[in-house]
Amino acid sequence: MDFLSLLSNINSDIENYYQENINIQYPSIKKMMDYALLGGKGVRAALTILTGKMFDARYEDLLVPALAVEMIHAYSLVHDDLPAMDNDSMRRGKDSAHIRFGEANAILAGDALLTHAFSIINFSHLDSEIKVRLSSVLTQASGANGMIAGQIFDMDAEGRGIDLDGLCKIHNHKTGALISSAVKMGAVISKNATTDQINILDEYGLRIGLAFQIYDDLLDVTKSSDVLGKPANSDIENNKSTFPSLLGIEKTKDLALEQTAKAKSLLDRLPMNSDELNNFSDLLMKREF
Ligand code: GRG
């Protein structure tokens, strides 16, 4: 199956699961949450599901963390687009949430997605022990030691020159941690994964997350706003160091492929067939947006 068909099938299952299980009493809040959540590629959900399949996890179980991680991701995009952050007016081919609903509503819609990501886990059909493990993985990745730290490092670096190590540190936290949590939750849910295997997947997730971000930086300078569904060249306009600004386009491409190859080589250390996740890793480096 090609990249977009795979993602489109997963996205429609995630959307159905969301509509059936989210319990929001107030239509105006639900409308803003729907607006911010739906319409992304669903890469993190796909990583959870493909990893879970490797460990023979049940598809209906995997939908729980797959949705939760997409809700955290959507909240981070809403807040990242705010005037106080990156100040971007377009996202996923439409107005950013604060342009559509106003800044205060967008902040609250982001907060609602963040909070309800954990409700989706806690009120699900899963065993209590699994719920605790999933919540722990997701909190670690999205909280002050993960994505939030990455955003703060990123803001601190704005307008100052940073080196390649500094840039990798930002993105390991800002992008890699959540992507790695998506991968790990697919394994954790199955109860079949050993600690060693989860550690291997953690490293795979961080490497593929870094490769994803490097490639995202490349798309920012090589594709149009129409193709991206968000403003092109936004990193330059925000005066941010990026992989292309530090390395140039060709070396950035090489680095993305090198990180992907390293990520894939980690999968070889797992005893089960990892072909689907391997192929997906390659497809991430061929995406158009
Ligand atoms: C608490 C104020 C506050 C902020 C939360 C904003 C934030 C912390 C973190 C930002 C995280 C962020 C926006 C990382 C960028 C990662 C990235 C490459 C996003 C694009 O991901 P895609 O391409 O997007 O998967 P789609 O739209 O397809 O889901």
Side-chain angles (χ1 to χ4, degrees), residues 35-110:
Y35 185 88
L37 176 68
L38 306 171
K41 290 187 290 297
V43 163
R44 290 151 193 81
L47 284 167
T48 302
I49 286 170
L50 293 178
T51 307
K53 278 172 75 184
M54 279 169 40
F55 287 88
D56 295 325
R58 296 185 329 161
Y59 190 71
E60 60 269 36
D61 293 352
L62 288 166
L63 291 175
V64 178
L67 170 59
V69 73
E70 286 294 331
M71 290 175 79
I72 299 277
H73 167 59
Y75 124 78
S76 82
L77 298 180
V78 169
H79 282 198
D80 196 49
D81 288 339
L82 288 168
M85 301 263 171
D86 275 4
N87 195 18
D88 280 325
S89 57
M90 192 183 169
R91 169 73 62 187
R92 296 175 170 171
K94 55 191 187 183
D95 287 342
S96 299
H98 66 277
I99 300 288
R100 177 76 174 77
F101 301 109
E103 207 175 323
N105 278 323
I107 292 170
L108 293 168

Side-chain angles (χ1 to χ4, degrees), residues 18 22-26 28-34 36-37 68 71-72 74-76 78-79 104-120:
Y18 166 74
I22 196 84
N23 181 12
I24 308 290
Q25 293 174 28
Y26 305 106
S28 62
I29 303 179
K30 168 80 172 22
K31 184 176 154 197
M32 294 191 292
M33 292 169 73
D34 291 359
L37 176 68
M71 290 175 79
I72 299 277
Y75 124 78
S76 82
V78 169
H79 282 198
N105 278 323
I107 292 170
L108 293 168
D111 292 341
L113 285 165
L114 167 61
T115 316
H116 280 269
F118 293 97
S119 288
I120 281 291

Side-chain angles (χ1 to χ4, degrees), residues 7 20 52 62 69 100 111 131 141 147 199 206 208 273 284:
L7 291 174
E20 280 161 21
L62 288 166
V69 73
R100 177 76 174 77
D111 292 341
K131 289 178 185 175
M147 189 172 71
N199 289 339
L206 282 172
I208 208 70
N273 182 336
L284 288 175

Side-chain angles (χ1 to χ4, degrees), residues 80 118 159 164 175 196 245 249 260 273:
D80 196 49
F118 293 97
L164 191 58
T175 307
D196 269 1
S245 73
I249 296 215
T260 306
N273 182 336

